């Protein structure tokens, strides 16, 4: 995410399909990435999380904050605030 933000990307859709583990370090990375892009009016969205990863995102509240799996508006559309 740092590289993408450094390259000027401000709208990030992260596919977590192959992610099988997420601890506090991963959660912190998602929060940091969201803060980085939001500072410039961008957004970070997550998709594809399953199993334990999806559960961690639900329990921490990040599933709602980062609009996990919401694809009705398409990956390029910002979520309604």
């Amino acid at each position: 995410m740092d590289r993408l933000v450094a390259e000027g990307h401000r709208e990030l859709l992260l596919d977590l399909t192959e992610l099988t583990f997420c601890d506090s370090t991963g959660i912190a990375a998602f929060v940091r990435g969201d803060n980085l892009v939001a500072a410039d009016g961008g957004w970070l969205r997550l998709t594809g999380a399953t199993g334990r990863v999806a559960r961690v995102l639900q329990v921490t509240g990040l599933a709602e904050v980062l609009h996990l799996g919401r694809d009705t508006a398409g990956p390029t559309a910002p979520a309604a605030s």
Side-chain angles (χ1 to χ4, degrees):
M1 287 185 287
D2 289 341
R3 181 181 52 82
L4 292 171
V5 171
E7 291 173 356
H9 299 278
R10 296 295 180 260
E11 297 174 347
L12 305 178
L13 177 64
L14 301 182
D15 182 356
L16 306 181
T17 302
E18 295 189 31
L19 187 65
T20 59
F21 178 79
C22 185
D23 62 6
S24 61
T25 302
I27 296 301
F30 295 142
V31 170
R32 183 171 178 270
D34 184 53
N35 288 338
L36 284 172
V37 294
D40 286 332
W43 50 262
L44 172 68
R45 301 290 176 262
L46 304 177
T47 189
T50 59
R52 290 181 181 178
V53 173
R55 179 74 179 136
V56 166
L57 294 172
Q58 289 291 335
V59 168
T60 61
L62 281 181
E64 183 66 26
V65 171
L66 299 179
H67 306 275
L68 175 64
R70 292 187 193 165
D71 58 2
T72 56
T76 59
S81 298

